[in-house]
Amino acid sequence: MIARSYLYVPGNAPDKLAKVLDRGADAVIVDLEDAVPWGAKDSARATVAEWLTSLRGDSSGVEVWVRINPGPLGIEDVEAVVAPGLTGVMVAKTETCAELEMVDGALTRAESAAGLEPGSIGVVPLLESATALLDARAIAASPRVVRLQVGEADLGADLGLGEDADEADWAPIRSQVVVVSAAAGINAPVAPVSTDFRDLDRFAATTRALARRGYVGRACIHPAQVAVANEVFTPTAATLDRARTLVAVFDEAVAQGRGVVIGPDGRMVDEAVVRRARAVIALAR
């Protein structure tokens, strides 16, 4: 199944960590970067490591990601947090493939020390600068990368976009990341956060717009946003039934060696139609 919602939680807040798996999100992102002051990095890292160890590999079906710091501090983060049950790390302010190669090496060593399968921990680079955008295709092809994510606050500042930049201003960049992801053969990107967690109607509208643009799932900064993201990315019963029917008809035709497949509605069904149908099924809960 594909995660529909990713809920951020500060790594230096043990009380929030204790409850985050029960907030309804399909995935959580434990933040060791922006949410943690510089003077609290070491203690936050220890808190997260202790919390992960307490899970004993059982996160109740919720994906667990840790956003690590850029540079050498991020390598220290990796060494501390790799444990059974960790889905992957999000590399803040990624700009080069060399950075991801260092993270890959650190993960390989940490996996071995923890007795984990080599390569089991995924990586999501956070694109937060113009340099990262220009090198996005190479970054997407780096070791362990499963998808890309954009940090629009930092990226907007780097590009000189105003605080009132709207959906139209961001549209070219958002589409670029979708195209790069598809070209690299990795998962579709997760939609960026919205800092306005009170206006849930707007959050729903922008999430639907991002879904139409090719994003799957959305990052959330507040538990109230989780249910909205889950609803947007959950296919309706009718949509799911249609998708399953299309896949069944297509698979049967392929098994029988038929070259032309006609769906229940009389329309031709080809590989592209079935790919979309399979993507719908993957979002079902």
Side-chain angles (χ1 to χ4, degrees), residues 202-244:
R202 176 169 174 74
F203 182 74
T206 58
T207 303
R208 285 192 290 268
L210 286 158
R212 290 194 300 270
R213 196 173 291 280
Y215 284 76
V216 178
R218 186 154 196 187
C220 305
I221 64 165
H222 192 278
Q225 296 174 323
V226 168
V228 178
N230 286 347
E231 181 179 3
V232 170
F233 289 103
T234 299
T236 64
T239 300
L240 185 57
D241 286 345
R242 181 175 183 276
R244 286 173 171 160

Side-chain angles (χ1 to χ4, degrees), residues 243 246-247 250-251 269-280:
L246 288 174
V247 170
F250 184 82
D251 287 348
V269 180
D270 59 11
E271 182 60 38
V273 171
V274 173
R275 282 174 61 190
R276 286 193 290 269
R278 294 189 196 281
V280 168

Side-chain angles (χ1 to χ4, degrees), residues 58-108:
D58 181 11
S59 57
S60 303
V62 179
E63 292 183 12
V64 177
W65 295 82
V66 174
R67 178 162 75 167
I68 63 174
N69 291 278
L73 200 60
I75 302 304
E76 293 182 40
D77 293 337
V78 167
E79 293 169 348
V81 304
V82 168
L86 179 67
T87 307
V89 297
M90 302 180 66
V91 186
K93 297 177 174 62
T94 299
E95 291 200 324
T96 68
C97 298
E99 296 169 59
L100 297 178
E101 289 168 1
M102 291 180 62
V103 171
D104 174 49
L107 284 169
T108 298

Side-chain angles (χ1 to χ4, degrees), residues 73-214:
L73 200 60
I75 302 304
E76 293 182 40
D77 293 337
V78 167
E79 293 169 348
V81 304
V82 168
L86 179 67
T87 307
V89 297
M90 302 180 66
V91 186
K93 297 177 174 62
T94 299
E95 291 200 324
T96 68
C97 298
E99 296 169 59
L100 297 178
E101 289 168 1
M102 291 180 62
V103 171
D104 174 49
L107 284 169
T108 298
R109 294 188 296 272
E111 286 168 339
S112 177
L116 300 177
E117 187 75 21
S120 60
I121 306 297
V123 167
V124 172
L126 277 161
L127 311 180
E128 303 182 75
S129 68
T131 298
L133 274 185
L134 289 177
D135 288 341
R137 189 164 187 181
I139 288 171
S142 294
R144 298 177 183 261
V145 173
V146 296
R147 59 178 171 81
L148 301 175
Q149 194 159 329
V150 177
E152 290 189 346
D154 286 279
L155 179 57
D158 196 45
L159 296 176
L161 297 183
E163 291 186 3
D164 58 346
D166 58 19
E167 304 300 307
D169 297 320
W170 281 108
I173 293 170
R174 290 172 174 173
S175 292
Q176 176 191 350
V177 176
V178 171
V179 171
V180 167
S181 300
I186 60 177
N187 295 329
V190 167
V193 301
S194 169
T195 55
D196 184 1
F197 58 85
R198 292 182 177 84
D199 190 346
L200 295 181
D201 289 338
R202 176 169 174 74
F203 182 74
T206 58
T207 303
R208 285 192 290 268
L210 286 158
R212 290 194 300 270
R213 196 173 291 280

